[in-house]
């Protein structure tokens, strides 16, 4: 069975199992659709336990709304288990619970493996069944490492300390495909309140199942997204369109870290432009491979890689900055022309990009994998690996590969 058919079969099987199980009813009968349903998958079953509660308190500080459903599935560390909360529709003057929250606790889940992508599907179905809306946002809250983590088996997002599992980029794609099926359309806004997740390798996995992707190329400060400002604005204007909400998140996030000396990044990707961008990167890669006819030209590309904007994991470089350096350095006209075409496609895919702090000043909004010595062979598991980028990288750095 092919990889695509296997993934499709798995999604159908998961949906069948969820549909066949007894679900928790939020009320007698399904309520009328709200304007927005924001689903926050908060994995605090690790060293972010206290930060999870802090961010939920920020959400509560935004107030209440009848038009916006803010729902959180939070799993905590040590002896604490998972719960589901309704944040935006709660009783006035509600007392704090044993976790210090005033949100309405809707369900006790027991211990949940938040490093299992099927939990995203389960949570999203519960939200859609019980709190339907015209527009949907899904936010994954936790540690992130792009498509991989250097010197570690951890690759992806949502690391669960108790299970030791993490959701890979490929599994994230499977989860969002299932959510697409549940709500009957691509997710209007998909956000990752986590480090290093705004990569083409990640976004390409999601391209058919989320309209906009909001994430950071660089690591995020410990406080993450300013949920009080984001949700307060959404509560005031529940008719906000997905793109406008995406822009609101980027603006609120950037304003929160204006004094941060280290680079802070956040961008919005319009996934409808990713196929065209991937095609242009593929074409650029093939042309560059053909142009690597001398050691001098290979050395030139290596210098461009060395000078390109990097992030906490140094094998992650900014696509736009790298292409600009190649255009300015290579003496091959066909490479320059292909590079300019990539930049044009990139400008369409990156709707908003914000950078504060000097260390990320050349970040243009989307990162890509380009190690300087050893290539990770697990890259082949990604959908983006069907293009020639990895072949070009190996043509530059040589044939050394790693299984990690």
């Amino acid at each position: 069975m092919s990889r695509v058919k296997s993934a499709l079969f798995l999604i159908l099987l998961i949906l069948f199992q969820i549909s066949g199980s007894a679900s928790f009813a939020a009320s007698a009968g399904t309520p009328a659709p709200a304007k927005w349903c924001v689903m926050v998958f908060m994995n605090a079953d690790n060293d972010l336990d206290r930060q999870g509660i802090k961010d939920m308190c920020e959400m509560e500080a935004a107030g209440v709304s009848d038009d916006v459903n803010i729902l959180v599935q939070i799993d905590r560390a040590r002896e604490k288990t998972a719960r589901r909360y309704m944040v935006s529709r709660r009783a006035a003057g509600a007392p704090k619970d044993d976790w210090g929250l005033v949100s309405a606790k809707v369900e006790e889940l027991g211990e949940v493996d938040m490093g299992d992508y099927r939990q995203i599907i389960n949570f999203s179905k519960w939200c859609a069944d019980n709190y339907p809306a015209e527009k949907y946002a899904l936010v994954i809250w936790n540690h992130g490492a792009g498509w991989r983590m250097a010197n570690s088996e951890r690759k992806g997002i949502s690391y669960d300390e108790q299970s030791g599992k993490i959701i890979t980029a490929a599994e994230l794609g499977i989860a969002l495909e299932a959510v697409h099926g549940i709500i009957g359309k691509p997710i209007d806004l998909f956000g990752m309140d986590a480090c290093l997740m705004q990569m083409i390798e990640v976004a390409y996995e999601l391209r058919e199942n989320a309209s906009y992707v909001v994430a950071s190329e660089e690591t995020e400060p410990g406080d993450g997204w300013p949920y009080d400002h984001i949700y307060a604005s959404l509560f005031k204007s529940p008719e906000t369109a997905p793109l406008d909400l995406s822009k609101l998140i980027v603006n609120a996030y950037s304003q929160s870290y204006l004094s941060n000396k280290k680079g802070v990044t956040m961008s919005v990707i319009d996934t409808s432009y990713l196929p065209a961008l991937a095609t242009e990167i593929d074409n650029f890669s093939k042309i560059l491979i053909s142009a690597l006819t001398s050691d001098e030209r290979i050395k030139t590309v290596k210098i461009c890689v060395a000078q390109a904007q990097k992030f906490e994991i140094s094998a992650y470089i900014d696509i736009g900055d790298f292409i600009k350096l190649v255009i300015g350095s290579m003496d091959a006209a066909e490479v320059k022309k292909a590079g300019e075409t990539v930049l044009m496609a990139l400008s369409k895919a990156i709707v908003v990009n914000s950078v504060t702090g000097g260390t990320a000043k050349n970040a243009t909004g989307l990162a890509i994998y380009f190690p300087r010595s050893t290539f990770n062979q697990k890259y082949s598991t990604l959908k983006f690996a069907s293009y020639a980028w990895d072949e070009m990288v190996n043509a530059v750095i040589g044939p050394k590969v790693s299984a990690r």
Side-chain angles (χ1 to χ4, degrees):
M1 186 179 289
S2 69
R3 180 168 173 257
V4 173
K5 289 182 179 178
S6 297
L8 180 58
F9 175 78
L10 183 57
I11 290 167
L12 292 173
L13 179 61
I14 293 168
L15 291 177
F16 175 79
Q17 291 174 333
I18 293 173
S19 298
S21 62
S23 62
F24 180 90
S27 63
T30 303
K35 298 299 181 183
W36 273 96
C37 178
V38 182
M39 307 173 287
V40 183
F41 187 79
M42 182 174 281
N43 183 355
D45 196 352
N46 43 57
D47 57 355
L48 297 176
D49 178 81
R50 291 184 180 180
Q51 195 62 49
I53 296 300
K54 182 178 178 181
D55 276 1
M56 283 201 66
C57 289
E58 281 187 5
M59 297 178 197
E60 293 175 342
V64 295
S65 173
D66 291 329
D67 297 312
V68 179
N69 294 326
I70 306 293
L71 298 151
V72 179
Q73 177 168 310
I74 176 172
D75 188 20
R76 299 189 63 188
R78 294 175 287 279
E79 301 302 318
K80 298 181 178 68
T81 55
R83 292 175 178 176
R84 286 174 177 164
Y85 281 93
M86 161 55 82
V87 178
S88 54
R89 297 190 187 190
R90 57 181 188 269
K96 292 183 178 180
D97 66 8
D98 55 329
W99 287 4
L101 301 172
V102 296
S103 297
K105 182 175 68 175
V106 183
E107 190 169 6
E108 288 275 6
L109 300 176
E111 181 51 41
V112 171
D113 183 2
M114 299 282 276
D116 184 341
Y117 72 94
R118 291 170 294 188
Q119 290 298 329
I120 296 176
I121 302 171
N122 199 332
F123 172 53
S124 299
K125 187 175 190 305
W126 176 83
C127 291
D129 285 349
N130 295 296
Y131 303 95
E134 296 173 9
K135 295 180 283 290
Y136 288 88
L138 173 62
V139 179
I140 308 298
W141 182 105
N142 186 239
H143 287 300
W147 84 271
R148 66 179 291 273
M149 182 177 284
N151 301 318
S152 173
E153 285 300 318
R154 299 183 195 173
K155 304 170 182 69
I157 192 170
S158 193
Y159 177 65
D160 189 296
E161 198 167 80
Q162 292 198 49
S163 70
K165 292 180 63 178
I166 194 166
I167 298 170
T168 66
E171 290 174 339
L172 197 59
I174 294 171
L176 264 63
E177 185 175 356
V179 177
H180 181 165
I182 290 167
I183 65 175
K185 64 174 183 175
I187 299 167
D188 296 286
L189 187 161
F190 178 67
M192 291 173 279
D193 188 1
C195 299
L196 303 163
M197 294 306 297
Q198 196 66 296
M199 301 190 72
I200 191 167
E201 291 89 348
V202 177
Y204 196 75
E205 296 284 333
L206 319 174
R207 69 195 184 284
E208 296 176 343
N209 302 301
S211 296
Y212 297 100
V213 177
V214 184
S216 171
E217 290 184 88
E218 184 54 282
T219 54
E220 290 190 356
D223 285 340
W225 291 12
Y227 289 98
D228 46 352
H229 297 296
I230 294 168
Y231 291 159
S233 296
L234 182 59
F235 291 170
K236 290 179 182 178
S237 304
E239 299 283 354
T240 300
L243 177 56
D244 291 331
L245 179 56
S246 301
K247 292 178 178 179
L248 189 159
I249 294 168
V250 172
N251 183 62
Y253 179 84
S254 300
Q255 290 296 314
S256 296
Y257 299 110
L258 290 177
S259 61
N260 194 297
K261 293 182 180 180
K262 184 180 177 182
V264 176
T265 65
M266 188 65 65
S267 61
V268 179
I269 304 301
D270 183 338
T271 59
S272 68
Y273 290 102
L274 288 179
L277 174 60
T279 297
E280 297 305 337
I281 291 174
D282 183 60
N283 183 57
F284 169 82
S285 300
K286 290 174 180 176
I287 291 174
L288 185 55
I289 290 171
S290 298
L292 297 177
T293 55
S294 67
D295 289 343
E296 187 62 30
R297 282 186 170 179
I298 293 174
K299 181 180 178 181
T300 297
V301 177
K302 286 184 176 180
I303 291 172
C304 291
V305 175
Q307 293 178 344
Q309 177 68 58
K310 295 175 184 61
F311 304 101
E312 183 69 19
I313 295 179
S314 61
Y316 295 170
I317 65 172
D318 184 85
I319 301 175
D321 192 43
F322 170 70
I323 297 293
K324 290 175 186 176
L325 288 166
V326 172
I327 290 172
S329 303
M330 287 289 287
D331 59 358
E334 66 275 15
V335 172
K336 293 176 181 288
K337 182 178 180 181
E340 292 287 357
T341 307
V342 172
L343 293 180
M344 289 179 60
L346 198 62
S347 68
K348 294 178 181 178
I350 302 172
V351 182
V352 182
N353 179 54
S354 179
V355 179
T356 60
T359 62
K361 63 181 181 180
N362 293 320
T364 63
L366 192 60
I368 199 166
Y369 178 63
F370 202 133
R372 295 179 65 179
S373 59
T374 303
F375 197 88
N376 190 318
Q377 64 185 9
K378 291 185 178 178
Y379 195 87
S380 63
T381 63
L382 299 169
K383 291 180 179 179
F384 186 72
S386 64
Y387 296 101
W389 176 264
D390 55 335
E391 297 168 31
M392 181 272 290
V393 173
N394 282 307
V396 173
I397 68 175
K400 291 175 65 177
V401 297
S402 168
R404 302 186 66 176

